[in-house]
């Protein structure tokens, strides 16, 4: 019961503070930062670094690697990385998702292979997360609603949203998708929460007449939602597709009624590390003004986010045009003068979709500076040649001439992993 009281408390707090500071969030951020900086003394990492000033900009920027390297010193719960990982991994294998150490929820923030991220969330933070989901994602209603939630691994973080008014149904994305569609048909959910790759699968089932669904809300999570997938999904589901942008289980950005993602600047400070000359694409550097079990202070994400100057909703919270994927997926080439040329995934996405309208799906994978693998799913037999030509022309525009494009015949995306259509596989990915 106490947990529910906390949710209500945070729900009201979020609503009131957002309303009160709606014209200028910087004053709210300053107040919350002053409180957070005092709480940070509980963290050995931040205490030992002895920051002479309380200024945010004096704190070091951390990335995922340093964040995990200093996991034990950063967190304020006395939990070490080895125990946290063991607990979270065991939970995934046994599919029993209630891993808690000393009252702290432990979870994995990426796949089961490669460079794992581990997150810690206290009960208060869990209540805040639920309050934020209710305020900005699902919306509060007195009507009972059924939610179909597609996840790679459940977590008691997600279980926390359950209530008498919200009936949660968990769909394991590693399960057979035909089974999942059958379950979905029987359930007839009011709200569907899933990765774009799964939403596309569901939408194609609806388009073919195999499944009939009429959700009132469709929410895209975890993967890049491209503009063309978004408009296809909006056409099939006949509504705005909403998005949630999350990292280490912190709710970074949520969509307004116009479907534009806005950073939650009432409890986050967002710095921008620009990655292009035009200064509209950046890596967000996140400071969470509430989380203390595992402080997120100047945490630089690897995602490429494109800034949107304003949104028709009028919100002063920073708007996002598009999340493009990770910087690791920028493709690298050499031009005829042997200069390195870096090209953003979005350039290839646009080239491919404009080359042939009939394409149902695609992937472009770089293995070497002079080699690209191309996968095209299309009813038109010429699609591959059309796209190949368009990519070659694009590369020529940058004086890149030495690239071979080879055909990938089977869809390289493995169900259960994040779908990345434009991929740089040259470097070890996390
Ligand atoms: Zn908006």
């Amino acid at each position: 019961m106490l947990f529910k009281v906390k949710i209500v408390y945070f729900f009201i707090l979020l609503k009131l503070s957002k309303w009160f500071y709606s014209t200028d969030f910087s004053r709210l951020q300053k107040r919350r930062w002053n409180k957070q900086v005092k709480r940070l003394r509980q963290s050995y990492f931040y205490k030992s670094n002895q920051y002479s000033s309380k200024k945010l900009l004096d704190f070091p920027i951390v990335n995922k690697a340093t964040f995990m390297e200093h996991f034990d010193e950063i967190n304020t719960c006395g939990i070490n990385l080895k125990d946290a990982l063991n607990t979270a991994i065991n939970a995934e294998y046994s599919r029993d998702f209630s891993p808690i150490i000393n009252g702290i929820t432990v979870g994995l923030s990426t796949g089961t292979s490669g460079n794992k991220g581990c997150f810690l969330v206290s009960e208060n933070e869990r209540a805040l997360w639920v309050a934020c989901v209710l305020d900005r994602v699902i919306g509060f209603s007195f009507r009972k609603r059924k939610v179909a939630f597609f996840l790679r691994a459940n977590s008691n973080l997600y279980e926390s949203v359950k209530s008498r008014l919200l009936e949660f149904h968990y769909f394991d994305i590693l399960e057979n998708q035909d089974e999942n569609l059958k379950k979905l048909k029987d359930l007839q959910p009011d709200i569907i929460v899933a990765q774009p790759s799964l939403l596309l699968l569901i939408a194609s089932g609806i388009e073919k007449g195999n499944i009939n669904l009429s959700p009132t809300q469709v929410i895209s999570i975890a993967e890049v939602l491209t503009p063309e997938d978004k408009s296809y999904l909006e056409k099939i589901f006949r509504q705005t597709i909403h998005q949630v942008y999350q990292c280490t289980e912190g709710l970074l950005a949520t969509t307004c009624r116009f479907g534009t993602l806005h950073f939650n600047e009432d409890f986050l400070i967002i710095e921008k590390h620009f990655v292009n000359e035009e200064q509209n694409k950046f890596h967000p550097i996140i400071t969470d003004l509430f989380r203390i079990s595992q402080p997120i202070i100047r945490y630089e994400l690897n995602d490429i986010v494109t800034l949107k100057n304003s949104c028709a909703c009028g919100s002063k919270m920073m708007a996002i045009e598009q999340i493009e994927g990770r910087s690791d997926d920028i493709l690298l080439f050499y031009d005829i003068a042997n200069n390195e040329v870096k090209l953003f995934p979005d350039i290839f996405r646009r080239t491919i979709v404009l080359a042939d309208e009939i394409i149902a799906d695609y992937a472009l994978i770089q293995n070497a500076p002079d080699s690209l693998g191309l996968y095209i799913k299309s009813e038109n037999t010429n699609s591959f040649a059309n796209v190949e030509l368009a990519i070659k022309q694009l590369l020529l525009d940058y004086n890149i001439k030495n690239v071979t494009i080879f055909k990938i015949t089977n869809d390289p995306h493995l169900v259960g992993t994040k779908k990345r259509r434009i991929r740089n596989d040259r470097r070890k990915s996390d």
Side-chain angles (χ1 to χ4, degrees):
M1 187 60 204
L2 185 62
F3 185 62
K4 289 206 171 145
V5 174
K6 283 180 182 172
I7 295 172
V8 174
Y9 166 76
F10 284 121
F11 186 79
I12 295 168
L13 179 79
L14 281 174
K15 273 234 177 286
L16 285 181
S17 58
K18 191 178 152 193
W19 169 77
F20 193 75
Y21 291 94
S22 61
T23 52
D24 180 11
F25 287 106
S26 62
R27 284 191 303 136
L28 179 62
Q29 289 175 342
K30 208 172 165 195
R31 270 189 59 182
R32 290 189 165 155
W33 169 249
N34 287 339
K35 279 189 186 168
Q36 181 71 342
V37 99
K38 284 182 197 143
R39 287 193 288 252
L40 277 180
R41 290 182 201 136
Q42 298 167 44
S43 160
Y44 183 77
F45 181 81
Y46 289 108
K47 197 170 66 183
S48 65
N49 276 308
Q50 293 294 330
Y51 299 103
S52 48
S53 81
K54 288 178 183 171
K55 281 193 199 132
L56 176 69
L57 295 182
D58 291 339
F59 283 70
I61 292 177
V62 295
N63 58 21
K64 187 175 176 183
T66 44
F67 191 70
M68 294 315 289
E69 188 190 330
H70 297 284
F71 181 92
D72 300 5
E73 304 103 81
I74 289 177
N75 86 74
T76 60
C77 316
I79 294 175
N80 68 52
L81 181 61
K82 208 172 140 224
D83 288 350
L85 279 176
N86 278 342
T87 308
I89 291 168
N90 282 340
E92 277 215 14
Y93 281 132
S94 63
R95 314 303 278 167
D96 165 23
F97 302 107
S98 48
I100 279 190
I101 307 177
N102 308 334
I104 301 289
T105 298
V106 183
L108 293 177
S109 57
T110 59
T112 46
S113 63
N115 184 7
K116 286 182 206 76
C118 198
F119 68 86
L120 303 175
V121 186
S122 70
E123 192 185 85
N124 277 351
E125 290 159 351
R126 206 147 52 94
L128 176 75
W129 185 89
V130 176
C132 194
V133 166
L134 290 177
D135 182 35
R136 293 169 203 189
V137 185
I138 293 176
F140 183 77
S141 165
F142 282 110
R143 196 172 64 84
K144 186 169 178 166
R145 290 172 297 169
K146 290 183 278 188
V147 184
F149 200 165
F150 286 78
L151 282 168
R152 184 182 51 78
N154 199 355
S155 154
N156 58 9
L157 185 67
Y158 304 124
E159 292 281 326
S160 322
V161 195
K162 260 186 189 167
S163 72
R164 253 175 296 163
L165 292 171
L166 279 175
E167 197 182 282
F168 263 73
H169 296 263
Y170 161 58
F171 287 72
D172 191 334
I173 65 169
L174 298 178
E175 235 177 58
N176 181 301
Q177 294 314 324
D178 289 336
E179 280 298 309
N180 272 342
L181 285 187
K182 222 159 69 193
K183 265 169 69 186
L184 206 58
K185 196 170 160 186
D186 294 338
L187 178 67
Q188 289 297 321
D190 300 286
I191 302 169
I192 302 175
V193 185
Q195 297 75 344
S197 50
L198 273 160
L199 290 176
L200 288 171
L201 205 86
I202 299 166
S204 131
I206 296 174
E207 201 181 20
K208 286 178 191 150
N210 297 338
I211 177 172
N212 207 345
L213 297 171
S214 44
T216 52
Q217 246 179 306
V218 179
I219 300 161
S220 160
I221 52 164
E223 288 168 3
V224 168
L225 178 66
T226 64
E228 47 287 349
D229 286 346
K230 187 168 185 251
S231 50
Y232 170 72
L233 292 172
E234 289 185 339
K235 190 181 90 189
I236 300 295
F237 286 106
R238 282 175 283 158
Q239 60 192 289
T240 301
I241 304 295
H242 287 277
Q243 293 181 67
V244 171
Y245 180 27
Q246 219 172 225
C247 99
T248 64
E249 307 324 284
L251 216 51
L252 300 184
T254 45
T255 40
C256 64
R257 65 184 192 279
F258 289 93
T260 304
L261 276 166
H262 290 270
F263 278 110
N264 289 316
E265 284 191 285
D266 50 342
F267 59 86
L268 299 174
I269 294 175
I270 310 293
E271 295 172 69
K272 305 183 206 81
H273 174 186
F274 287 109
V275 291
N276 65 343
E277 275 176 24
E278 295 83 1
Q279 302 223 327
N280 64 344
K281 291 179 193 291
F282 64 95
H283 287 169
I285 303 173
I286 311 287
T287 296
D288 191 311
L289 298 170
F290 281 140
R291 278 176 77 176
I292 192 62
S293 55
Q294 188 182 30
I296 310 279
I297 307 295
R298 305 194 82 200
Y299 183 106
E300 180 164 349
L301 295 174
N302 196 239
D303 297 333
I304 307 162
V305 172
T306 311
L307 196 62
K308 187 180 171 109
N309 288 329
S310 65
C311 175
C313 75
S315 167
K316 290 274 188 283
M317 293 196 191
M318 194 189 296
I320 297 172
E321 184 70 54
Q322 197 195 340
I323 300 165
E324 214 178 296
R326 307 177 316 174
S327 265
D328 289 349
D329 285 328
I330 290 175
L331 304 191
L332 300 175
F333 302 93
Y334 291 95
D335 67 10
I336 44 175
N338 212 26
N339 296 315
E340 190 181 77
V341 183
K342 290 182 181 179
L343 296 178
F344 285 102
D346 198 48
I347 298 177
F348 289 96
R349 177 191 65 78
R350 269 184 286 150
T351 304
I352 294 170
V353 299
L354 289 175
D356 198 325
E357 277 183 9
I358 214 136
I359 292 171
D361 202 2
Y362 62 89
L364 184 70
I365 300 171
Q366 183 174 45
N367 299 304
D370 58 357
S371 165
L372 287 173
L374 176 64
Y375 164 73
I376 297 291
K377 182 182 169 190
S378 170
E379 284 173 4
N380 179 359
T381 45
N382 293 328
S383 291
F384 185 89
N386 293 343
V387 174
E388 186 183 23
L389 190 70
I391 292 176
K392 286 207 159 149
Q393 187 54 51
L394 169 78
L395 294 172
L396 270 182
D397 292 344
Y398 289 90
N399 289 322
I400 302 161
K401 283 189 170 172
N402 59 345
V403 177
T404 314
I405 299 174
F406 65 91
K407 193 171 192 166
I408 300 175
T409 41
N410 295 318
D411 186 355
H413 173 238
L414 298 171
V415 175
T417 60
K418 266 195 188 186
K419 184 167 176 124
R420 288 148 57 217
R421 285 199 176 97
I422 312 291
R423 245 159 65 186
N424 184 345
D425 278 359
R426 291 172 55 205
R427 288 174 292 188
K428 197 177 170 292
S429 58
D430 62 5

